[in-house]
Amino acid sequence: MERKFIGAGLFAGLVAGIVSFVFARIFIEPQVAKAIAFEESQSKAEEMAHAAEHAAEQDHHGEVEVFSRTIQENFGAGVGTVVFALAMGAFFAVAFTVLWAYVGRRWPSTDPRAVVGALGLLGFVAAFGVPFFVYPANPPAVGDDATIGERSGSFLIITLVSVIAMIIAVVVALQLRDRIGGLAGATIAGIGYLVVIGVAKELLPEFHEVPAGFPAAVIGDFRVYAIANQVVLWTVLTLVFAAAISAFTRRTEQAAGDLVTAAR
Amino acid sequence: MTQVKAAAPRALAVPDLSALSAALLLTATVLIAALAYYFLGYDQGAVSVFGSDTHVHEFVHDARHFLGFPCH
């Protein structure tokens, strides 16, 4: 069964990745293009001053643009988004397998689709929502090249802390369910998760690197669409995975029915 | 007596391979997905597995921004 779950996760990830890429290509790419236009206008003066030097350097290394903008915004972005969604689908399937192995055994009357829905919501919050809240996404040209290492490290740390804390919170909530009730257990686990995130956010560095004169509307639109993009991705992923689980469930019921008929 | 002992069938618990293979499958899935996530979001930003090459970074540059990863 776990093989089927992983297959369903990868399929759901593929569909979610394609839908999310179409969304991003339509709504986010124009913001990226505006940001790159700003970047180029800002560096034009600087480039003119260093024109001779820059040309010599390019000749020396043989380095021109590795991939054209057209390739980056279409093929590269498409492949990247689908790979991301496939990875999320794989994580989703593994998390569901483990969760359902416990929940389905302990509370057999639970609808597996409810578990899928809860997992989709918690996955969105833990893997994207909280890291975005601590380090909001930025279009190109926002962010100092010198801090890219520190920013990547901090982003990875908050993502890992968030996902691990969420896993622990779910385990705690399930352990408390029979003792103090589902709602009370989930509330305690939720507060614990938020405390961990609050402490981590306080300990991690902050970055304020928006260059002077950068259009605020571009950052605003970019961030809204970046959130919407992940809402689209996680919604499609969750719904397709739930549909696949339903198909497996029906098939199992059918098989059980066939067995009963055969036994008669 | 020692002969009887030697003749007695050895009782070694048979490992439950179905549970083991499930665990291996789940672990391998997580590892591969984590590797894909790393290359997509982090490689050639702060760190680089294949030296100072920027092909992966440039190729997925727009996807990185779309997905909210830190970038230049």
Side-chain angles (χ1 to χ4, degrees):
Chain A
M1 206 62 204
E2 61 277 355
R3 241 169 240 278
K4 280 186 177 179
F5 288 168
I6 288 170
L10 292 176
F11 176 69
L14 179 68
V15 176
I18 292 168
V19 174
S20 146
F21 166 65
V22 171
F23 178 90
R25 182 66 187 81
I26 295 170
F27 293 101
I28 308 184
E29 188 57 46
Q31 312 306 321
V32 170
K34 283 180 199 166
I36 289 174
F38 172 84
E39 187 177 33
E40 280 168 357
S41 72
Q42 287 298 100
S43 60
K44 195 165 274 176
E46 195 187 332
E47 259 176 42
M48 275 178 164
H50 298 286
E53 193 186 326
H54 197 69
E57 197 180 319
Q58 277 194 344
D59 276 352
H60 189 66
H61 294 293
E63 262 179 354
V64 276
E65 216 174 356
V66 186
F67 293 102
S68 72
R69 285 294 310 142
T70 313
I71 289 181
Q72 284 184 17
E73 69 187 16
N74 294 310
F75 196 51
V79 170
T81 307
V82 168
V83 167
F84 177 84
L86 282 172
M88 289 303 127
F91 287 136
F92 196 102
V94 171
F96 176 79
T97 307
V98 175
L99 193 58
W100 182 245
Y102 181 78
V103 173
R105 185 164 302 156
R106 187 109 187 239
W107 299 282
S109 61
T110 312
D111 187 336
R113 288 167 299 183
V115 176
V116 174
L119 189 62
L121 198 65
L122 297 179
F124 170 78
V125 169
F128 172 76
V130 161
F132 186 96
F133 151 74
V134 177
Y135 296 114
N138 282 321
V142 176
D144 185 357
D145 278 350
T147 61
I148 179 73
E150 209 186 341
R151 281 184 288 129
S152 294
S154 302
F155 186 77
L156 183 58
I157 289 170
I158 193 66
T159 304
L160 289 176
V161 166
S162 171
V163 169
I164 292 167
M166 185 61 91
I167 291 170
I168 295 170
V170 169
V171 170
V172 168
L174 290 175
Q175 293 296 315
L176 291 178
R177 189 173 164 182
D178 280 346
R179 270 180 250 168
I180 60 171
L183 183 61
T187 305
I188 290 174
I191 291 171
Y193 172 76
L194 290 178
V195 168
V196 170
I197 296 303
V199 170
K201 183 183 171 5
E202 281 306 305
L203 292 177
L204 285 166
E206 284 184 33
F207 303 96
H208 302 285
E209 302 177 336
V210 181
F214 193 92
V218 173
I219 297 185
D221 288 348
F222 179 87
R223 286 180 180 170
V224 169
Y225 288 133
I227 296 170
N229 183 39
Q230 294 277 337
V231 171
V232 167
L233 192 153
W234 284 88
T235 305
V236 174
L237 175 64
T238 306
L239 290 178
V240 173
F241 193 81
I245 293 300
S246 296
F248 297 153
T249 311
R250 254 183 265 126
R251 245 175 253 164
T252 314
E253 278 166 6
Q254 182 81 43
D258 290 349
L259 277 177
V260 172
T261 319
R264 280 176 193 159
Chain B
M1 287 304 275
T2 47
Q3 272 178 338
V4 172
K5 238 180 189 174
R10 294 184 184 178
L12 177 64
V14 178
D16 187 356
L17 274 183
S18 67
L20 184 66
S21 75
L24 280 176
L25 179 70
L26 296 180
T27 309
T29 306
V30 168
L31 285 179
I32 293 169
L35 201 64
Y37 176 80
Y38 162 77
F39 271 103
L40 176 69
Y42 298 95
D43 196 53
Q44 296 170 18
V47 276
S48 189
V49 170
F50 301 115
S52 57
D53 179 274
T54 56
H55 281 81
V56 174
H57 177 102
E58 289 293 325
F59 186 60
V60 299
H61 169 266
D62 282 33
R64 244 181 231 201
H65 279 290
F66 289 176
L67 299 166
F69 288 103
C71 210
H72 65 86

